[in-house]
């Protein structure tokens, strides 16, 4: 099956390329131009599309919501309509930010959405546009992505942990750190399954296990990297940001395993692999 992915330099796009998926960057199809994205799909000899590109600057989106909406909602909608016209599936990556983060239970796929910030609003609008296009689709909500490349929490902690002997890390936000490599593999599996059986279309969740706080995630990073850096638990209120973050990012991923046979990855094992890759590079 020939798959085409939007995105070139992002964490998931990089891993998709490693899996042999053809990736295209903004020089070939800029998501600020939804029509160009649709035309790229129409012209492509592809059996399925994965959208691994997005506007992900969560805080900047508070001031650039219109631009974020074009990239995160209008472009995926145009992609989905182009895929529907060709009769091929689209896998769209979404986020836990479509929820408000209340409570302490894992969110099921049909749980009410209530994004707290512009980023989440635009990603939710993208979900709606993809679902309304009429073709085969899979929306994969994920969280806390990390890998050996790009900007992410693991790399930030490695840098800060080497510079300081103590850090205050938010302890009241809980979720599942998710390796980009596992997300890429899940997207490929979903695209192949949807091409075979479009009735599997819908919204799915995928995050690493076990759920953990940012503070405890940082402790594990430091321990595995042999960095001596103490972690002080702090509340979200002590680290204000322009965009509100959900406190509860737990995702119920049972439907993804039931429908596609894709289980939650163990982020602890993936973290060790990531650290090894960073050392080797």
């Amino acid at each position: 099956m020939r798959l085409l992915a939007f995105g070139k330099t992002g964490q998931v796009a990089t891993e998709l390329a490693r899996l042999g998926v053809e990736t295209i960057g903004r020089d070939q199809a800029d998501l600020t131009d939804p029509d160009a994205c649709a035309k790229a799909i129409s012209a492509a000899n592809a059996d399925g599309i994965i959208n691994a590109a997005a506007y992900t600057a969560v805080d900047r989106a508070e001031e650039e919501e219109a631009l974020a909406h074009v990239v995160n909602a209008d472009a995926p909608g145009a992609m989905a309509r182009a895929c529907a016209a060709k009769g091929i599936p689209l896998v769209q990556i979404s986020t836990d930010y479509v929820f408000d983060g209340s409570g302490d239970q894992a969110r099921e796929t049909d749980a009410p959405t209530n994004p707290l910030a512009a980023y989440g609003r635009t990603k939710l609008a993208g979900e709606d546009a993809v679902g309304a296009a009429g073709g085969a689709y899979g929306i994969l909500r994920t969280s806390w992505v990390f890998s050996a490349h790009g900007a992410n929490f693991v790399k930030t902690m490695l840098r800060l942990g080497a510079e300081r002997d103590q850090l205050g890390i938010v302890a009241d936000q809980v979720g599942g750190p998710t390796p980009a490599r596992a997300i890429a593999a899940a997207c490929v599996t979903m695209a192949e399954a949807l091409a075979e059986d479009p009735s599997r279309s819908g919204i799915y969740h995928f995050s690493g296990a076990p759920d953990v706080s940012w503070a405890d995630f940082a402790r594990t990073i430091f321990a595995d990297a042999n960095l001596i850096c103490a972690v002080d638990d702090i509340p979200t209120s002590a680290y204000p940001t322009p965009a509100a973050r959900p406190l509860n990012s737990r995702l119920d991923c049972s439907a993804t395993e039931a429908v596609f046979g894709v289980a939650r990855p163990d982020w602890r094992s993936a973290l060790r692999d990531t650290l090894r890759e960073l050392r080797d590079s």
Side-chain angles (χ1 to χ4, degrees), residues 14-163:
T14 299
E15 296 295 348
L16 284 166
R18 289 180 170 184
L19 293 175
V21 176
E22 180 184 354
T23 60
I24 58 174
R26 65 184 61 184
D27 57 327
Q28 295 167 280
D30 192 329
L31 269 69
T32 61
D33 184 352
D35 288 341
C37 297
K39 289 176 181 176
I41 291 172
S42 299
N45 179 26
D47 304 306
I49 303 296
I50 298 170
N51 181 25
Y55 183 109
T56 58
V58 174
D59 289 324
R60 195 164 69 239
E62 294 299 298
E63 298 179 354
E64 297 182 348
E65 186 166 357
L67 175 59
H69 192 279
V70 172
V71 174
N72 291 342
D74 296 342
M79 292 178 195
R81 291 187 291 273
C83 286
K86 293 190 71 171
I88 61 175
L90 170 68
V91 175
Q92 165 75 11
I93 299 173
S94 193
T95 174
D96 61 296
Y97 276 69
V98 300
F99 298 116
D100 61 15
S102 59
D104 59 6
Q105 299 300 305
R107 286 292 201 283
E108 297 182 352
T109 56
D110 60 353
T113 53
N114 184 32
L116 300 174
Y119 170 67
R121 289 192 293 271
T122 63
K123 291 295 286 184
L124 180 59
E127 292 185 5
D128 293 341
V130 169
Y137 72 94
I139 292 168
L140 191 66
R141 292 174 179 153
T142 190
S143 65
W144 298 20
V145 184
F146 71 91
S147 67
H149 33 264
N152 58 69
F153 184 78
V154 171
K155 294 179 72 175
T156 298
M157 288 301 101
L158 292 174
R159 176 176 56 81
L160 294 178
E163 297 172 351

